[in-house]
Amino acid sequence: MSETIPTPGTPLAADAAASVDGGLVHGLYRDGDKIADTAAPAGPIDKKWTTRKFEAHLVNPANRRKLSVIIVGTGLAGGAAAATLGEAGYHVKSFCYQDSPRRAHSIAAQGGINAAKNYKEDGDSTHRLFYDTVKGGDYRSRETNVYRLAEVSANIIDQCVAQGVPFAREYGGLLDNRSFGGVQVSRTFYARGQTGQQLLIGAYQALERQVAAGTVTSYTRHEMLELVVVDGRARGIIARDMVTGEIQTHLADVVVLATGGYGNVFFLSTNAMGSNVTAGWRAHRKGAYFGNPCYTQIHPTCIPVSGDHQSKLTLMSESLRNDGRIWVPKRREDCEKDPRDIPEEDRDYYLERIYPSFGNLVPRDIASRQAKNVCDEGRGVGPKVGDFRRGVYLDFTDALKRMSAEAVGEKYGNLLDMYHRITGDNPYEVPMRIYPAVHYTMGGLWVDYDLQSNVPGLFVTGEANFSDHGANRLGASALMQGLADGYFVLPNTIRDYLSHAPYPAVSEDHPAVVEARDAVQRRVDTLLSINGERTVDSFHKELGHIMWEYCGMERSEEGLRKGIDLIRSLRAEFWRNVRVLGAADTLNQSLEKAGRVADFLELGELMCIDALHRRESCGGHFRAESQTEDGEALRHDDGYLYVAAWEFGGSPDGGDTGIPILHKEDLVYQAIELKQRSYK
Amino acid sequence: MNLTLNIWRQDGPEAPGRMVTYQLADVSGDMSFLEMLDVLNESLITKGEEPIAFDSDCREGICGMCGLMISGNAHGPVTTTTCQLHMREFHDGDSITIEPWRADAFPMIKDLVVDRSSFDRIIQAGGFISANTGSAPEAHSVPVEKRKADRAFEAAACIGCGACVAACPNASAMLFMGAKVTHLGELPQGQPERYARVVKMVAQHDHEGFGGCTNTGACADACPKEIPLDVINTLNRDLRGALGRGR
Ligand SMILES: Cc1cc2nc3c(=O)[nH]c(=O)nc-3n(C[C@H](O)[C@H](O)[C@H](O)COP(=O)(O)OP(=O)(O)OC[C@H]3O[C@@H](n4cnc5c(N)ncnc54)[C@H](O)[C@@H]3O)c2cc1C
Ligand code: SF4
Ligand code: FES
């Protein structure tokens, strides 16, 4: 189909652009019913949460022990929820794929956690945090949920301090905080560069305390491979014991997924090796809508790829942009030179040049895209990866002159040391090299105000849901969301669902349970029997390459169509030609990976379809066909002011992914006015 | 560089184990140690041999999932985690021995993977502050002296990897436990349970089959997070205090 490039200021309406043929939009999906109700209570925005908590039914303490809750995931979102529901007296089963709940990937968060405490008296408030989060998300998040997030943020800090989380403190003994990610107030609480670790250890210890109390049973090295849905309700999961290979059935009154993000669909990301989409994707196949799958956050300050062997990318806190200056050579010929030999006048400090007022502190999405642009122009630095050098300098020379090496070391020492250890280069002597990397996924399973998916009894929290971050997440707000969901939101909303329990008893012989268990067994058997030529990792790398190339920082219709074709043929080859060795009844890491990659191969296609249908540039994603005259992102509120919630179109257990169905949830802003972002 | 790798292979908890020698060519100094093993595994799969099982997750030195005995050193020759060790620490022609953590309290699972759930059970015994969700006072109501806050933080940096146990000739987990006792015991919030905590944790430690401490200091030398040896003194002091109080 032909492409119309919108002229600035005259946005292109969505429907005018979509070609519908035989009921298929763009030849790829069907339109479904709109989502009319998000279950938020009526009333002014600052009263809704109080109303909801009051209206949620209570469960008699004596009955709680008889009610069972499955929580998959032990990160901030899952760990906090399991501990809290255990304390309340419910019978909780907690699952993670690592050998201990303490190792969930929340542990890796460095920078900090936001909370509207206004300890600095600098004008912060619930409303300002709410406003910053909605604006940062480029007006693609649901107002009611974000307001609540800001509202409970202050309680999180109190709770964590009571648990013994060692936040940074001032000499007077009170908590320190800093400004982070381009906001104008100091609201980010931190524990050196290990904030995620300290918050997670707090939740983990609370969880282990409940294990000792007998309210929580912990299933480590267990991987959820299927959701059990009985009579339209989520009633349990099928999990594989990763040590013995046993396929187990776990049934309960309610199921919570807190399984983290799916950035590993790109193979290289800052996520942990095991981070995956399997739990969410299996639920999607059983009917749960997937919200905004294409919304990915690409973080500008990561250590660049050094070669083909690379297994993951390492983030360096963006606080480095406070004092480091970003540049590339003006001329391609200089790219191989020692940066110290390139004189000032031959350097292009491109962020300072293009965005004079924000300079190196522009938001993540803009910093990332401009780094890609200068590298695409052939002005990248460092080793060649494929045809291009993928790196830009982050230079501390000026800061070292201005502040002394000791002062720089005090502020950034651990980051600079980490860089030195990984690359072998000393940043006190040579400028560092950085490049953007996939870091966070704003998309995830669709949930309502109660964090319940469209499948009754299936709740989704933390990064795994489509989240409060719209099309772009502000720094230090994912930790806030995980703990808000886990400690304060879910325990209140799930109570209402459980007040109608117990739900009719389900036996392990129920046809829906047997079907789910058999499906898992069949998949394991199939993966082990293909015995083809290619390793699981080789498929994963190829998928990652396709996603990065066609569904990464900049997307176009043509590229996305190509990506979809490539993914489809790669998926077909996977099921014909993958080689998974070893047995089903032992620890088998290839088998685990194969199952995850199989699901990524389906998710990747949906991400491309979602990206293709959203013909606007917004937040973390830039659509080539939708830009202003000077190349900045152009959002189209007239056509795309909605959440795209995708329904699975294939048969739930069959191999095919079918034709996805799009349900739109219109975004209504009553407390905030819509604006185009500008950082010039 | 070209390397000779002697790696412990064991099919399961009950199966006999053996050292197997592999040659690996063209290893780049920019690879991490685990990426080097990834490359070896890819070549094994291509040859039809089962890959070597080893644990890792974050590969950033913070989750504590990785851990290998590398030529007799827990996490290898420099102070870091196995996942953050890079091949530029080695030389062409080197021969490297790779084994799992060995301790009675860390039963074998497969190849280089062991079961460290005994650490979780030590935490269950008392490694927490009892503060139910929703019951917390305003965070600024209890100031914490910066010196104490800093020491608590330093101890809280433990990642629960188990290198201290693997390095210890007695397979003692005193450094791991001392780190937790110090983290919580330095803070005002941790005072009410301070003495009960240490008694219960030590009892669980002994019950799990970890050995006694003879002050060799091997644990602190191996610790990737540089947990100082004096956390064990703090633990012993609290334990004596608890016994003195008749707990
Ligand atoms: C390097 C890095 C730095 C970051 N820094 C910051 C920061 O400074 N501030 C901030 O706010 N945010 C930061 N983030 C984002 C933030 O850390 C995450 O979004 C957040 O911690 C996610 O928490 P979670 O509880 O949703 O999921 P996770 O912590 O990822 O936990 C997922 C859990 O699900 C389990 N699981 C997954 N799949 C399965 C399955 N199939 N079966 C069984 N169990 C399963 C896992 O075992 C794990 O327990 C950072 C992220 C990264 C990667
Ligand atoms: S004390 Fe050090 S070596 Fe021991 S578990 Fe903690 S981090 Fe690992
Ligand atoms: S893999 Fe997480 S610390 Fe090494």
Side-chain angles (χ1 to χ4, degrees):
Chain A
M1 54 171 281
S2 71
E3 199 48 80
T4 329
I5 308 234
T7 40
T10 54
L12 177 84
D15 296 338
S19 67
V20 181
D21 195 4
L24 285 191
V25 192
H26 295 306
L28 290 167
Y29 64 90
R30 284 182 215 289
D31 269 324
D33 297 338
K34 277 204 172 176
I35 298 175
D37 186 11
T38 61
I45 198 152
D46 57 345
K47 297 287 182 299
K48 283 183 194 285
W49 181 228
T50 311
T51 308
R52 183 70 193 114
K53 280 190 289 187
F54 179 73
E55 285 176 352
H57 290 91
L58 299 177
V59 180
N60 181 334
N63 288 340
R64 294 183 194 160
R65 183 70 202 144
K66 292 177 224 146
L67 298 176
S68 50
V69 183
I70 285 173
I71 302 182
V72 188
T74 60
L76 293 183
T84 305
L85 293 172
E87 288 161 8
Y90 297 101
H91 174 60
V92 179
K93 287 181 166 188
S94 155
F95 293 80
C96 67
Y97 70 74
Q98 294 93 343
D99 71 335
S100 166
R102 67 179 291 152
R103 308 205 201 281
H105 197 52
S106 292
I107 200 119
Q110 302 170 350
I113 177 167
N114 287 333
K117 279 285 199 188
N118 194 26
Y119 281 158
K120 299 263 153 134
E121 279 292 316
D122 55 3
D124 200 12
S125 63
T126 297
H127 199 86
R128 190 177 299 279
L129 176 54
F130 159 61
Y131 173 80
D132 287 348
T133 309
V134 172
K135 179 186 174 208
D138 216 0
Y139 302 92
R140 289 293 177 268
S141 47
R142 188 193 292 149
E143 191 181 77
T144 49
N145 288 48
V146 180
Y147 192 91
R148 173 181 60 196
L149 174 65
E151 197 176 338
V152 303
S153 65
N155 303 354
I156 296 173
I157 304 302
D158 299 342
Q159 183 61 34
C160 295
V161 166
Q163 290 169 341
V165 171
F167 284 119
R169 288 184 182 264
E170 294 169 341
Y171 283 97
L174 299 178
L175 295 170
D176 189 18
N177 50 38
R178 58 186 176 196
S179 83
F180 193 74
V183 297
Q184 326 259 338
V185 292
S186 272
R187 64 159 78 101
T188 305
F189 295 78
Y190 65 101
R192 282 191 215 162
Q194 285 124 277
T195 317
Q197 180 197 21
Q198 295 310 323
L199 296 174
L200 184 65
I201 295 298
Y204 157 75
Q205 288 171 186
L207 174 70
E208 294 299 338
R209 173 174 166 246
Q210 290 310 306
V211 172
T215 59
V216 177
T217 314
S218 171
Y219 295 86
T220 59
R221 292 199 200 264
H222 276 66
E223 183 163 27
M224 167 183 166
L225 295 177
E226 199 55 83
L227 179 73
V228 175
V229 179
V230 178
D231 299 331
R233 288 180 190 279
R235 294 304 304 273
I237 63 169
I238 308 294
R240 179 171 177 273
D241 177 331
M242 293 157 73
V243 175
T244 65
E246 187 193 357
I247 309 286
Q248 303 170 344
T249 305
H250 296 270
L251 300 171
D253 289 296
V254 65
V255 177
V256 181
L257 300 186
T259 43
Y262 52 84
N264 275 354
V265 66
F266 291 86
F267 184 70
L268 288 181
S269 82
T270 64
N271 285 4
M273 300 303 287
S275 296
N276 68 90
V277 77
T278 290
W281 192 255
R282 294 284 119 196
H284 174 60
R285 279 182 150 269
K286 285 276 163 78
Y289 296 170
F290 212 110
N292 299 332
C294 82
Y295 283 172
T296 311
Q297 181 160 76
I298 308 219
H299 198 291
T301 50
C302 300
I303 300 179
V305 174
S306 67
D308 270 348
H309 54 265
Q310 193 100 18
S311 60
K312 75 153 287 171
L313 294 171
T314 303
L315 175 96
M316 290 199 302
S317 168
E318 66 188 327
S319 62
L320 289 169
R321 288 199 278 146
N322 289 335
D323 286 299
R325 294 181 71 195
I326 294 174
W327 64 275
V328 290
K330 281 189 180 155
R331 290 190 306 259
R332 282 183 219 175
E333 308 83 85
D334 288 349
C335 292
E336 270 169 77
K337 281 193 186 157
D338 184 325
R340 289 167 295 190
D341 296 340
I342 303 179
E344 206 54 29
E345 63 272 17
D346 291 340
R347 301 175 174 194
D348 180 11
Y349 294 90
Y350 57 91
L351 290 177
E352 298 171 26
R353 174 172 57 80
I354 310 175
Y355 307 97
S357 60
F358 276 76
N360 294 301
L361 294 176
V362 289
R364 290 177 178 179
D365 49 339
I366 295 175
S368 295
R369 189 154 38 78
Q370 294 298 359
K372 177 179 188 293
N373 287 348
V374 293
C375 294
D376 286 350
E377 287 166 16
R379 296 194 289 142
V381 296
K384 268 198 176 157
V385 179
D387 293 338
F388 289 97
R389 295 173 202 283
R390 296 263 165 229
V392 300
Y393 290 122
L394 173 62
D395 195 340
F396 264 71
T397 315
D398 285 355
L400 285 164
K401 277 188 209 139
R402 181 162 41 86
M403 298 162 58
S404 88
E406 289 79 62
V408 169
E410 200 159 288
K411 241 171 140 177
Y412 303 109
N414 57 345
L415 294 168
L416 302 185
D417 292 348
M418 178 173 79
Y419 181 88
H420 193 170
R421 194 166 55 238
I422 292 176
T423 63
D425 289 340
N426 182 352
Y428 291 93
E429 287 163 13
V430 203
M432 290 182 275
R433 284 177 294 109
I434 54 164
Y435 200 64
V438 173
H439 176 56
Y440 182 87
T441 47
M442 283 77 69
L445 292 184
W446 182 90
V447 288
D448 65 11
Y449 187 73
D450 284 352
L451 305 182
Q452 184 168 211
S453 75
N454 59 307
V455 177
L458 178 69
F459 290 72
V460 191
T461 60
E463 193 173 338
N465 72 23
F466 85 99
S467 97
D468 301 343
H469 310 294
N472 176 48
R473 179 177 68 77
L474 282 186
S477 58
L479 301 180
M480 169 173 72
Q481 186 216 340
L483 289 180
D485 288 0
Y487 285 133
F488 300 109
V489 180
L490 181 83
N492 280 295
T493 59
I494 210 171
R495 169 162 57 92
D496 191 55
Y497 185 80
L498 287 169
S499 71
H500 305 290
Y503 294 96
V506 178
S507 94
E508 294 208 4
D509 310 327
H510 189 288
V513 182
V514 173
E515 180 276 318
R517 200 167 44 227
D518 287 353
V520 169
Q521 188 65 57
R522 264 199 315 276
R523 220 162 120 91
V524 167
D525 294 344
T526 308
L527 287 169
L528 285 169
S529 66
I530 298 170
N531 211 1
E533 304 274 313
R534 284 182 65 179
T535 66
V536 177
D537 273 3
S538 81
F539 282 101
H540 195 177
K541 276 187 194 176
E542 188 172 337
L543 172 66
H545 184 76
I546 297 170
M547 294 302 294
W548 181 246
E549 204 54 39
Y550 302 110
C551 197
M553 271 183 277
E554 184 170 328
R555 299 137 182 210
S556 70
E557 165 138 4
E558 195 193 341
L560 288 162
R561 285 201 185 273
K562 185 158 177 208
I564 292 169
D565 286 345
L566 290 170
I567 294 171
R568 286 180 179 164
S569 53
L570 187 65
R571 189 166 67 226
E573 189 194 340
F574 177 88
W575 287 106
R576 213 175 43 236
N577 198 23
V578 72
R579 175 181 291 186
V580 184
L581 301 173
D585 60 354
T586 65
L587 179 73
N588 187 334
Q589 294 173 329
S590 302
L591 177 64
E592 295 159 17
K593 280 197 245 177
R596 294 171 193 156
V597 171
D599 289 333
F600 281 139
L601 282 162
E602 295 186 2
L603 166 78
E605 179 179 336
L606 186 66
M607 289 172 73
C608 290
I609 294 175
D610 184 41
L612 188 141
H613 112 280
R614 190 171 280 277
R615 293 157 55 92
E616 65 166 346
S617 297
C618 124
H621 79 116
F622 187 79
R623 192 55 196 260
E625 298 93 337
S626 181
Q627 47 183 304
T628 63
E629 252 164 12
D630 48 359
E632 293 299 325
L634 185 63
R635 219 175 61 208
H636 292 306
D637 292 336
D638 63 335
Y640 297 98
L641 192 58
Y642 60 80
V643 175
W646 296 92
E647 180 183 346
F648 185 69
S651 72
D653 40 309
D656 195 21
T657 52
I659 308 280
I661 302 157
L662 173 63
H663 301 273
K664 297 176 182 171
E665 176 202 326
D666 286 332
L667 291 168
V668 185
Y669 289 100
Q670 286 173 333
I672 274 184
E673 188 195 341
L674 281 169
K675 289 194 188 127
Q676 282 278 353
R677 290 191 308 167
S678 168
Y679 292 93
K680 289 229 166 166
Chain B
M1 64 187 104
N2 299 326
L3 299 171
T4 303
L5 305 168
N6 303 301
I7 302 181
W8 182 260
R9 303 289 320 245
Q10 182 169 345
D11 291 342
E14 309 303 331
R18 66 209 181 278
M19 295 302 287
V20 179
T21 303
Y22 302 92
Q23 302 296 335
L24 193 61
D26 297 330
V27 175
S28 138
D30 286 334
M31 287 179 187
S32 71
F33 197 82
L34 297 182
E35 286 170 347
M36 183 274 293
L37 288 182
D38 290 341
V39 171
L40 174 63
N41 272 345
E42 287 290 286
S43 76
L44 291 181
I45 299 172
T46 309
K47 282 192 270 180
E49 289 177 42
E50 239 197 275
I52 300 151
F54 63 88
D55 267 331
S56 78
D57 204 30
C58 74
R59 296 208 177 179
E60 285 188 19
I62 193 73
C63 75
M65 187 101 178
C66 65
L68 298 174
M69 214 55 177
I70 300 169
S71 298
N73 295 310
H75 289 307
V78 291
T79 306
T80 188
T81 56
T82 302
C83 61
Q84 286 289 293
L85 176 66
H86 281 72
M87 295 313 292
R88 64 181 75 86
E89 306 293 339
F90 298 88
H91 305 284
D92 187 38
D94 276 1
S95 172
I96 306 172
T97 306
I98 307 173
E99 291 174 273
W101 288 168
R102 296 194 192 277
D104 288 347
F106 290 164
M108 163 57 78
I109 295 179
K110 185 176 180 173
D111 293 341
L112 303 171
V113 178
V114 299
D115 176 355
R116 288 169 292 193
S117 53
S118 47
F119 270 15
D120 288 336
R121 290 187 294 273
I122 291 180
I123 298 298
Q124 282 159 27
F128 48 76
I129 291 173
S130 300
N132 281 3
T133 303
S135 66
E138 155 59 41
H140 268 181
S141 61
V142 189
V144 183
E145 199 187 321
K146 189 158 176 4
R147 188 179 52 85
K148 293 197 166 200
D150 286 348
R151 183 152 191 261
F153 181 87
E154 183 185 56
C158 165
I159 57 173
C161 62
C164 46
V165 175
C168 174
N170 313 315
S172 171
M174 285 292 266
L175 194 70
F176 165 76
M177 208 165 36
K180 190 49 51 194
V181 165
T182 305
H183 161 204
L184 300 178
E186 284 288 348
L187 298 170
Q189 291 84 356
Q191 297 312 309
E193 294 163 295
R194 178 165 165 193
Y195 297 104
R197 173 182 308 125
V198 68
V199 171
K200 289 191 206 156
M201 287 177 74
V202 169
Q204 188 67 34
H205 170 273
D206 296 352
H207 174 77
E208 294 289 349
F210 290 106
C213 174
T214 53
N215 278 318
T216 66
C219 51
D221 288 343
C223 175
K225 296 292 140 179
E226 303 182 59
I227 301 294
L229 203 54
D230 68 9
V231 299
I232 298 181
N233 302 341
T234 303
L235 184 150
N236 284 328
R237 192 194 61 209
D238 279 6
L239 188 60
R240 278 195 305 274
L243 301 177
R245 282 171 167 78
R247 300 245 179 178

